[in-house]
Amino acid sequence: MTSAASALAPESERILIFDFGSQYGQLIARRVREQNVFCQVVRHDLPAQRVAELRPRGLIFSGGPASVYQPGAPRCDPAVFDLGVPILGICYGMQLACHVLGSEVRPAPSREFGRAHCHVEEAAGLFAGVPHDTEVWMSHGDQVQSINGEFVPLASTPTCPAAAVRHRSRPVYGLQFHPEVSHTPEGKRILHNFLYDICGCQGLWKIESFIERTVASVRQRVGDRRVICGLSGGVDSSVTAALLVKAIGQQVACIFVDNGLLRKAESDAVRRTFRDNFHADLHVVDARDRFLKALAGISDPQEKRRVIGHVFIDVFKDEARNIDNAHFLAQGTLYPDVIESGGSPDGPAANIKMHHNVGGLPKELGFELIEPLKDLFKDEVRELGLALGLPETTVWRHPFPGPGLAVRCLGPVTAEGLEIVRNADAILLEELKQSGWYRKTAQAFAVLLPVQSVGVMGDGRTYERVIAVRAVQTDDFMTADWAHLPYELLAKISTRIINQVQGVNRVVYDISSKPPATIEWE
């Protein structure tokens, strides 16, 4: 392994983000990663001794909904302030740092939510290169009311005299506003100043070096044994498979289960990419009839998911038995999955969800897990996929639910219904790509509704199925707005679906946002 790859080891240049319950915690991490600096989200009460063991270059305290002066408000270990590691507090994080170090925090006379005019008092250090007057994004009801002689004010807004501060003798900084959101135009520059000028980072976190380091690590761990990779055709599993093929070639066996619930031509695309281009050991299991029989008569969406999950595990296990010397199972787990499932001992304590990639397959399979993407965010995975030579159609593929078209056929799943929604979906995606709207939407798909409507085709009346079209725009999938597709494009999509998909005589467009609606219908 080269010296560059060794230098990229995460512990060589690490920022820890203490999570105090902020809705922007992962966004802070993504902004740090964009600066080519490795970071991890950790629980807010991580002991100072453990922090010292991790040897971070800097700490960032996130915002949060609590008030620091209330009983039970989340605290950090006070000893972290004695480690000499630079600290940047954001919103609640600033208030906590100032509170611990002797300043007073109280409810603000005038709360600030949204854009605010900020005047920079000290255009150096944290604010080097930032204009004296700029816009920032505020979201707070409390603020630091008085700073003792230990703190120096760096910036102010009309209603917040201490919008940013620094400690006189400790490397502790605070921002009452949110530099991580796009509504703070100079936020990236401020974070860059903290990471590079204050913490001394050099920007070693690069995808090329990540590939080199991961390939070496996988080869050393696997030795002459084999790895099974569950391949769905999605971005995460495809990048995982491509990375493993680069590392150990034919030692990785990719299992692709064709469950009959896939989008049009998806099975062929997976074959072309991994068998023809990457020359991978690809095992394609045709289990379409098995899944369809198991789903017969089931309408409840959760029951659909349960049945599909059980059948998938059985099919996967049957095929895995045919692979000799298999010792490892590779999964496309991403860093947000690890955070949200409580999969890291240092991570946030709350187990928000059990993600399908984290412990998704039963322990009785008896494999050791390999999760080469577990330190990456989705945008980094896409960059990695392009660097590995995956086609853009795979890398920029819209998210697709694990149960596939089964949850886009509302009501009982039938072969006829699957064919209708599959063909309608193919037309929708084709038109979005041709019009340039595919990359402008985060997710788009067709849904077959469990109703029929009257129509007129030619000289006769029809009584046929209804297709709903869903297209959304979002950065994080936690919230989403319906995409304002041009009327001309919607008209073209509707006309093609009605004319070319047998059994459909009506197309409707879903204009619901999340919340209150979800992105998927089931």
Side-chain angles (χ1 to χ4, degrees):
M1 186 165 55
T2 68
S3 58
S6 300
L8 186 64
E11 61 270 16
S12 70
E13 192 167 271
R14 187 197 315 256
I15 299 293
L16 298 181
I17 299 171
F18 282 46
D19 182 11
F20 289 95
S22 171
Q23 61 178 320
Y24 300 130
Q26 289 191 33
L27 183 58
I28 297 172
R30 288 179 60 188
R31 293 292 178 258
V32 172
R33 297 283 186 90
E34 288 171 2
Q35 306 271 3
N36 295 323
V37 175
F38 182 75
C39 67
Q40 292 173 295
V41 180
V42 298
R43 66 180 199 263
H44 62 80
D45 59 349
L46 195 67
Q49 181 179 348
R50 176 58 179 156
V51 174
E53 291 171 356
L54 293 171
R55 296 185 298 168
R57 290 289 183 92
L59 312 178
I60 297 179
F61 290 1
S62 81
S67 295
V68 297
Y69 48 79
Q70 292 177 335
R75 298 278 197 269
C76 64
D77 182 347
V80 300
F81 292 98
D82 299 324
L83 295 176
V85 178
I87 296 173
L88 174 64
I90 296 175
C91 198
Y92 178 90
M94 168 185 165
Q95 296 165 15
L96 177 65
C98 291
H99 175 76
V100 171
L101 296 176
S103 293
E104 185 179 11
V105 178
R106 293 201 309 263
S110 177
R111 297 187 301 171
E112 284 185 303
F113 294 98
R115 288 184 175 86
H117 176 78
C118 181
H119 179 71
V120 176
E121 312 283 349
E122 184 177 285
L126 195 61
F127 286 90
V130 176
H132 283 282
D133 292 287
T134 185
E135 294 248 312
V136 296
W137 183 262
M138 290 285 197
S139 180
H140 67 99
D142 298 333
Q143 66 184 33
V144 179
Q145 293 291 341
S146 63
I147 54 175
N148 59 20
E150 295 298 315
F151 282 96
V152 176
L154 301 178
S156 63
T157 71
T159 60
C160 185
V165 298
R166 67 171 172 84
H167 197 274
R168 291 185 184 277
S169 58
R170 300 172 185 257
V172 177
Y173 300 79
L175 300 173
Q176 184 56 70
F177 57 86
H178 290 272
E180 71 274 19
V181 302
S182 58
H183 304 305
T184 300
E186 297 294 329
K188 289 184 179 180
R189 184 188 298 270
I190 294 169
L191 287 174
H192 184 277
N193 290 341
F194 177 72
L195 297 170
Y196 284 78
D197 300 339
I198 294 171
C199 298
C201 295
Q202 301 175 51
L204 301 175
W205 179 250
K206 293 182 172 65
I207 286 300
E208 294 77 13
S209 299
F210 173 85
I211 294 174
E212 190 176 343
R213 180 172 58 85
T214 304
V215 163
S217 173
V218 168
R219 286 174 179 168
Q220 181 177 14
R221 183 180 176 191
V222 171
D224 61 357
R225 293 169 293 185
R226 301 203 71 191
V227 179
I228 293 175
C229 179
L231 183 59
S232 70
V235 180
D236 306 338
S237 69
S238 295
V239 173
T240 299
L243 185 58
L244 289 173
V245 169
K246 180 176 180 64
I248 56 176
Q250 292 289 305
Q251 285 177 251
V252 58
C254 299
I255 298 179
F256 175 70
V257 177
D258 186 349
N259 57 14
L261 308 173
L262 305 174
R263 287 180 284 204
K264 193 168 186 176
E266 202 148 48
S267 181
D268 292 338
V270 170
R271 284 185 173 92
R272 285 195 305 272
T273 298
F274 286 94
R275 185 171 287 166
D276 299 344
N277 294 352
F278 284 92
H279 307 294
D281 179 20
L282 178 64
H283 299 242
V284 179
V285 184
D286 186 351
R288 290 175 291 180
D289 291 341
R290 192 166 170 180
F291 278 88
L292 199 57
K293 287 177 182 177
L295 286 167
I298 297 174
S299 296
D300 180 74
Q302 293 308 316
E303 183 64 11
K304 289 179 184 178
R305 286 180 165 82
R306 188 191 68 80
V307 168
I308 291 168
H310 279 294
V311 176
F312 174 81
I313 288 171
D314 289 341
V315 171
F316 194 93
K317 287 168 65 175
D318 290 345
E319 186 62 29
R321 292 190 185 100
N322 298 325
I323 300 169
D324 295 331
N325 197 29
H327 189 80
F328 301 93
L329 175 67
Q331 293 189 149
T333 307
L334 305 192
Y335 189 48
D337 304 333
V338 175
I339 295 172
E340 293 172 0
S341 64
S344 169
D346 294 328
N351 190 341
I352 301 172
K353 68 178 182 178
M354 178 55 72
H355 191 273
H356 68 277
N357 276 341
V358 184
L361 288 169
K363 292 182 179 179
E364 60 265 22
L365 285 177
F367 296 115
E368 287 186 33
L369 275 182
I370 289 182
E371 298 171 306
L373 310 183
K374 64 182 176 61
D375 287 328
L376 302 185
F377 285 94
K378 178 72 81 172
D379 50 347
E380 294 172 313
V381 171
R382 294 190 194 279
E383 184 183 352
L384 175 59
L386 292 174
L388 289 168
L390 282 169
E392 286 199 8
T393 52
T394 299
V395 171
W396 291 103
R397 176 183 184 263
H398 282 184
F400 191 60
L405 297 180
V407 291
R408 292 178 180 173
C409 282
L410 308 194
V413 179
T414 65
E416 178 194 16
L418 289 171
E419 192 63 14
I420 289 174
V421 74
R422 183 178 290 117
N423 288 331
D425 190 74
I427 290 171
L428 167 64
L429 298 183
E430 181 180 314
E431 290 297 335
L432 289 176
K433 290 173 182 176
Q434 289 182 356
S435 65
W437 271 91
Y438 186 81
R439 291 279 292 273
K440 296 178 187 177
T441 55
Q443 193 169 1
F445 53 90
V447 180
L448 181 64
L449 304 186
V451 295
Q452 291 178 280
S453 72
V454 175
V456 178
M457 289 185 176
D459 295 324
R461 290 168 65 84
T462 61
Y463 189 58
E464 295 184 329
R465 309 294 292 272
V466 179
I467 286 288
V469 171
R470 179 75 157 143
V472 299
Q473 294 171 312
T474 178
D475 291 326
D476 54 17
F477 290 89
M478 300 300 292
T479 62
D481 291 322
W482 59 277
H484 292 230
L485 300 181
Y487 290 151
E488 296 80 6
L489 176 58
L490 288 171
K492 190 174 183 181
I493 291 167
S494 174
T495 300
R496 281 197 61 193
I497 290 175
I498 291 172
N499 287 343
Q500 298 176 25
V501 180
Q502 189 172 356
V504 175
N505 69 356
R506 191 178 299 270
V507 174
V508 298
Y509 189 52
D510 183 348
I511 59 170
S512 310
S513 295
K514 176 187 179 182
T518 55
I519 295 177
E520 295 285 347
W521 278 52
E522 285 192 344

